[in-house]
Amino acid sequence: MFKAIVSAETLTSALDSVSVLVDECKIHLEEDGLEIRAVDPANVGMVDLSLDAAAFESYEADGGLIGVDLSRLEDIAGMADSGQLIQLELDEETRKLHIQIDGLEYTLALIDPDSIRQEPDIPDLDLPAEVVLEGNDVNRSVTAADMVSDHIALGVDETEEYFYVDAEGDTDDVHLELTQDDLIDLQIGPAHSLFSLDYLKDMNKAIPKDTEVTLDLGEEFPVKIYFGFGEGQGQVTYMLAPRIQSD
Amino acid sequence: MGNAALRDIAAIEEIPFEDVEGVVAVDAHNWLYRYLTTTVKWTDSSKYTTADGTEVANLVGIVQGLPKFFEHDITPVMVFDGGPSDLKDDEIESRREQRRSYEEQLETAREEGDAVAIAQLESRTQRLTPTIQETSRDLLRLLDVPIVEAPAEGEAQAAHMVKRGDADYVGSEDYDALLFGAPLTLRQLTSKGDPELMDLEATLAQHDLTLEQLIDAAILIGTDFNEGVSGIGPKTAISAITEHGDLWSALEARGDHVEHGDRVRQLFRDPDVTDDYEFESTIDPDLEGAKTYVTDEWGVDAGEVERGFERIEESVTQTGLDRWT
């Protein structure tokens, strides 16, 4: 059983943060909220999302599992104007999701969850450095780096105590330093890892610009990027595997 | 190239590349041959022909074929048909000699009309030229791709390595891999899209046969090493073996005959394989060295291999999250 009413913004944010990595996903309809975990086919980027029942106008579920085609569902959610409510109801018999937006009714055929790639195990990471910054600063870093290179280095200078972003292109370079004062918080630790901008750009699209974002970093370790959405009732955690640094 | 009729018997299903993990013992001749054919078919020969007229389309094929393994975090181990066990430079001469000796044996076999020996030796001598043999190994070594030299059939050796647990799959287009007892074989590694998984145990269970009986059924249908009985297809072969128990009784009941049936059977049951091999499954390619080798030393058009090298570089520098789980 699953029946819920949610604002278009909250649903769209949730779907967007997953669809940057995968086309299809499993959604766990738990009693206390929705949960999604997915990894891209190359096993490089992972998303772990939870959306608390409190984020919904109303929410009833008893632990079911559905598989969805994300772009389909996003298209439907896109039919709602901002501020409109979307009603979702699962028909257990037909395995279809009934979606209502105002007078619009849409019946979405679900995908067999078993046909969707297995949900990933969450890496057990003990990352020494933590950087808390505004989504806008993540956006600036990624956008600037993308102008010169395909990859981006993220690290912490332990002696000078700042977080830095480096991108080296064939001709041009980008460097950005953010000190304790520029950041919301910084926990100093040994950190320097290189990441693919292809992935980071996609993840960046889903990060709200005015939200507090936390980056956990290590040396040649995956980065853990997490932030809240849906007025703090939703939580997205991304993990991105590093590239091996040649020099 | 194996008998395609075996496909009707084999338990085969397509599996997503993401579900394939570990080491694939690739029948190198079979793999290279596929890429050679495609390269030669679609690429202007001037792009892979040296000034003195030597064709090295194999180098283009290798650079185009390897990314598929790397991008899916699969370690290929290239298993070459019969040759010296270790390939140091000073052994190249001995390989040439071996080849000459194969050619002589082949001539003798032809004179004697020994069909089994002809088939065996032809596969080892004719499919790949000495230059292709040598340059393929050189390039694979630069790219840090493990090489295993089989004492005889590469496919048999690859099956042996999977049986021993040193590799997870045989990689071959050839259905004969089943007959060599390969527990799991990946097909279509040279094509677009997902591979096919051929499962020996499921095949045997499906027909309620032992491996020995499957071999006998295949001999009735025809293998790389024998012609098969005319008029016997997969269905008839299986019912004949099921009914009569083995090859000889089935032949006797039908009043048919298979030339050298015992030798062919022995070839599959107890092929010439070795435990004398070792390889590392972490791959650390020398990309610059490999590029220089292909484009400078062998004069291959850089444009033909650029994309392949980029894909190799990308796949070996990007780690996967599974490393941390």
Side-chain angles (χ1 to χ4, degrees):
Chain A
M1 186 264 297
F2 171 68
K3 194 173 179 183
I5 299 173
V6 64
S7 78
E9 284 88 349
T10 302
L11 182 63
T12 308
S13 305
L15 298 175
D16 287 352
S17 60
V18 181
S19 69
V20 294
L21 285 176
V22 292
D23 300 327
E24 299 172 347
C25 74
K26 298 179 197 182
I27 305 181
H28 294 266
L29 311 166
E30 300 298 334
E31 276 176 40
D32 52 0
L34 299 183
E35 280 168 28
I36 302 173
R37 194 152 27 102
V39 67
D40 83 294
N43 215 349
V44 174
M46 178 187 298
V47 58
D48 184 16
L49 173 143
S50 64
L51 185 57
D52 200 279
F56 295 78
E57 299 295 315
S58 74
Y59 183 92
E60 282 176 84
D62 56 4
L65 176 67
I66 57 172
V68 298
D69 177 329
L70 281 163
S71 62
R72 271 284 175 75
L73 195 49
E74 278 180 310
D75 286 348
I76 305 162
M79 295 294 294
D81 294 328
S82 119
Q84 249 181 335
L85 291 175
I86 300 177
Q87 185 182 319
L88 308 164
E89 187 172 359
L90 174 66
D91 184 332
E92 308 262 5
E93 290 287 301
T94 59
R95 297 304 293 172
K96 286 185 177 176
L97 191 65
H98 294 292
I99 304 160
Q100 273 193 49
I101 305 166
D102 223 350
L104 178 69
E105 280 182 45
Y106 194 107
T107 309
L108 176 72
L110 296 169
I111 302 171
D112 176 4
D114 290 340
S115 73
I116 298 176
R117 187 152 10 93
Q118 239 189 340
E119 290 166 298
D121 293 327
I122 294 182
D124 185 14
L125 303 171
D126 187 14
L127 299 164
E130 185 182 275
V131 184
V132 186
L133 73 175
E134 282 200 17
N136 196 39
D137 282 328
V138 176
N139 184 41
R140 278 177 71 216
S141 309
V142 170
T143 310
D146 187 41
M147 292 174 189
V148 301
S149 180
D150 298 330
H151 356 114
I152 185 172
L154 305 178
V156 170
D157 188 313
E158 288 183 89
T159 35
E160 303 288 325
E161 304 199 337
Y162 60 79
F163 163 68
Y164 62 82
V165 175
D166 266 327
E168 288 177 22
D170 291 336
T171 53
D172 303 349
D173 297 337
V174 161
H175 182 74
L176 173 72
E177 286 172 16
L178 296 171
T179 63
Q180 303 259 19
D181 293 342
D182 306 315
L183 298 164
I184 299 165
D185 194 20
L186 175 65
Q187 283 184 32
I188 309 283
H192 180 89
S193 303
L194 192 66
F195 300 100
S196 155
L197 269 169
D198 279 346
Y199 283 90
L200 220 44
K201 270 194 298 189
D202 286 341
M203 292 176 175
N204 177 50
K205 280 182 207 154
I207 299 175
K209 305 294 165 272
D210 54 354
T211 299
E212 199 173 294
V213 180
T214 308
L215 312 177
D216 288 354
L217 290 162
E219 279 184 317
E220 301 235 358
F221 258 77
V223 59
K224 195 170 152 185
I225 305 170
Y226 46 103
F227 55 91
F229 70 100
E231 289 165 1
Q233 307 292 346
Q235 176 84 23
V236 172
T237 303
Y238 285 127
M239 297 212 203
L240 176 60
R243 296 170 60 87
I244 294 164
Q245 293 165 57
S246 43
D247 44 359
Chain B
M1 299 297 298
N3 192 325
L6 276 180
R7 185 177 179 93
D8 299 337
I9 299 180
I12 296 179
E13 57 169 7
E14 199 178 279
I15 61 162
F17 246 120
E18 297 91 61
D19 293 356
V20 180
E21 283 181 7
V23 176
V24 182
V26 180
D27 177 352
H29 284 209
N30 185 283
W31 184 82
L32 259 177
Y33 202 70
R34 294 259 158 175
Y35 278 106
L36 266 179
T37 326
T38 347
T39 307
V40 170
K41 193 166 168 191
W42 300 106
T43 315
D44 177 356
S45 64
S46 68
K47 309 236 170 163
Y48 55 80
T49 308
T50 61
D52 65 5
T54 315
E55 294 193 357
V56 283
N58 57 309
L59 300 181
V60 179
I62 289 173
V63 176
Q64 286 174 352
L66 285 177
K68 194 151 187 172
F69 294 104
F70 297 159
E71 284 168 359
H72 295 98
D73 276 328
I74 302 165
T75 305
V77 176
M78 293 297 170
V79 186
F80 280 89
D81 282 352
S85 57
D86 191 20
L87 273 159
K88 299 186 189 94
D89 281 352
D90 58 0
E91 280 174 333
I92 285 172
E93 189 49 37
S94 84
R95 194 164 65 236
R96 286 209 178 101
E97 251 160 48
Q98 176 124 29
R99 187 184 148 81
R100 271 195 289 275
S101 123
Y102 284 152
E103 276 166 356
E104 279 162 21
Q105 289 173 40
L106 179 61
E107 198 133 319
T108 320
R110 286 210 179 101
E111 278 165 17
E112 291 170 1
D114 183 340
V116 180
I118 293 174
Q120 256 190 298
L121 291 163
E122 270 185 344
S123 73
R124 285 184 231 168
T125 51
Q126 296 203 323
R127 277 159 65 176
L128 306 174
T129 68
T131 309
I132 287 177
Q133 294 266 9
E134 280 165 32
T135 55
S136 295
R137 286 174 171 87
D138 285 346
L139 178 57
L140 289 169
R141 250 177 263 129
L142 283 164
L143 291 170
D144 202 28
V145 173
I147 294 174
V148 169
E149 300 292 346
E153 272 73 37
E155 199 166 32
Q157 177 66 25
H160 179 66
M161 289 161 63
V162 179
K163 278 190 263 180
R164 291 185 84 209
D166 294 328
D168 300 285
Y169 310 90
V170 170
S172 177
E173 298 309 299
D174 214 327
Y175 300 101
D176 278 3
L178 271 182
L179 308 181
F180 285 117
L184 296 173
T185 303
L186 289 173
R187 300 189 69 258
Q188 314 247 317
L189 287 172
T190 55
S191 338
K192 277 207 165 67
D194 286 329
E196 288 180 347
L197 182 67
M198 182 160 71
D199 186 325
L200 176 61
E201 207 177 307
T203 305
L204 297 177
Q206 194 179 319
H207 304 289
D208 195 19
L209 294 176
T210 63
L211 175 57
E212 286 69 25
Q213 289 177 313
L214 179 70
I215 294 170
D216 283 357
I219 294 172
L220 287 176
I221 306 166
T223 70
D224 266 353
F225 310 106
N226 74 292
E227 286 245 339
V229 178
S230 111
I232 293 196
K235 270 194 191 142
T236 320
I238 286 181
S239 54
I241 295 295
T242 308
E243 192 183 338
H244 304 289
D246 74 354
L247 178 63
W248 310 126
S249 319
L251 285 170
E252 202 182 289
R254 295 178 56 95
D256 275 318
H257 175 69
V258 170
E259 195 78 24
H260 304 299
D262 49 347
R263 278 174 62 198
V264 178
R265 196 191 215 188
Q266 201 53 26
L267 223 135
F268 286 116
R269 284 188 180 190
D270 185 22
D272 194 2
V273 291
T274 178
D275 292 349
D276 185 18
Y277 58 82
E278 54 181 341
F279 57 84
E280 275 187 39
S281 58
T282 43
I283 290 183
D284 180 19
D286 171 8
L287 280 163
E288 287 314 309
K291 278 183 209 170
T292 308
Y293 182 79
V294 174
T295 56
D296 295 354
E297 263 180 69
W298 285 96
V300 172
D301 187 285
E304 292 302 316
V305 285
E306 196 181 349
R307 179 74 194 123
F309 276 126
E310 271 175 25
R311 284 174 65 194
I312 295 173
E313 183 169 9
E314 180 60 31
S315 57
V316 295
T317 49
Q318 176 63 61
T319 63
L321 283 168
D322 44 349
R323 187 187 284 203
W324 284 274
T325 49

